[in-house]
Amino acid sequence: MQSRYFTVLGAGTSEVIEKKSRFLGLLLHAETPEEAESAVAAVRKKHYDARHNCFAYIVGEPGGSETLRAGDDGEPQGTAGRPMLEVLKGRELHNCVLVVTRYFGGTLLGTGGLIRAYTEAAQKACESAEIVEKLRGTRIRLHVSYNASGKLGYLFAWEGVTVLDTVYGADVQMDILAPEGEESALQKRIIEATDGKAEIELLDQTEIDLR
């Protein structure tokens, strides 16, 4: 599993004209095959009069049990869905579905022309979407002295640990996010940095947006 991954918020759209054929791209967030297939079906219903509605999606546990699918919807095999899927993979996007609708313009584009057009529509849809980096892990709450909080601040900055919240009172309460799989190692480094005087409490599993 990946503790960090990229996904899409909202929708990304595009339009590409190639020899009078219109390619309309739509990129959406989806987390399951059912959600992705439902999005594809909705596009096909909306663009019922189009020649092709091709798709690609990557959904599921990032870095784990993901489902990757692509469909050419009548275009020559490998000229639409697969290039679109490669765009998603190249941008390291997860939990998203991409549909490119083609209104035929009367001129055959050939294998190379189709691949270029579907790839361009996919890329432009990605470029227009709001892409966010997600970080998953365990929220850890620390109670430390003011002196120790300074040491931990340097440690967290050096190692790229996300500090979620800091409360100053009789001591310093710090909520941090330990990436999945790194909880034990991070606790050890905290104990070493504070000479064993940090109070450490593991809270919940959570996911945050890195902007």
Side-chain angles (χ1 to χ4, degrees):
M1 294 185 293
Q2 295 177 219
S3 60
R4 290 175 181 258
Y5 68 95
F6 294 94
T7 191
V8 59
L9 297 180
T13 60
S14 66
E15 180 175 5
V16 172
I17 307 296
E18 184 68 29
K19 294 182 179 179
K20 297 184 180 180
S21 279
R22 293 176 66 217
F23 296 82
L24 307 177
L26 177 64
L27 178 66
L28 298 170
H29 184 82
E31 297 188 357
T32 65
E34 292 76 17
E35 288 181 7
E37 295 288 350
S38 177
V40 175
V43 172
R44 285 176 174 163
K45 183 177 181 180
K46 178 180 179 180
H47 296 288
Y48 65 91
D49 55 341
R51 179 70 66 91
H52 307 281
N53 288 285
C54 306
F55 71 89
Y57 60 76
I58 302 175
V59 297
E61 190 72 32
S65 56
E66 285 188 302
T67 299
L68 286 72
R69 278 201 64 200
D72 296 313
D73 193 30
E75 293 282 29
Q77 185 175 2
T79 61
R82 175 58 60 178
M84 292 160 56
L85 185 61
E86 290 302 317
V87 170
L88 298 182
K89 291 165 63 178
R91 291 177 176 267
E92 300 180 5
L93 289 174
H94 301 267
N95 285 333
C96 60
V97 54
L98 173 64
V99 186
V100 175
T101 298
R102 180 189 181 189
Y103 283 91
F104 184 56
T107 301
L108 297 177
L109 301 182
T111 299
L114 288 172
I115 292 174
R116 286 192 298 273
Y118 279 104
T119 297
E120 183 180 357
Q123 290 175 337
K124 287 186 174 181
C126 291
E127 289 167 2
S128 75
E130 181 182 359
I131 304 299
V132 64
E133 184 177 9
K134 295 278 191 176
L135 176 61
R136 297 181 301 176
T138 301
R139 183 188 297 266
I140 296 178
R141 177 162 294 170
L142 308 173
H143 284 276
V144 297
S145 67
Y146 277 78
N147 182 54
S149 70
K151 294 179 181 179
L152 291 179
Y154 285 117
L155 173 67
F156 297 154
W158 177 260
E159 299 199 4
V161 174
T162 300
V163 178
L164 302 173
D165 190 27
T166 304
V167 178
Y168 298 96
D171 61 6
V172 180
Q173 175 183 297
M174 306 176 75
D175 285 6
I176 64 173
L177 187 66
E180 286 185 341
E182 299 180 25
E183 293 89 347
S184 296
L186 182 56
Q187 288 181 74
K188 182 179 179 180
R189 291 194 291 276
I190 291 171
I191 291 170
E192 292 173 348
T194 61
D195 296 323
K197 296 178 181 179
E199 293 183 19
I200 303 175
E201 180 184 3
L202 272 64
L203 301 178
D204 55 339
Q205 294 287 320
T206 190
E207 181 177 84
I208 64 170
D209 294 349
L210 298 175
R211 298 178 182 272

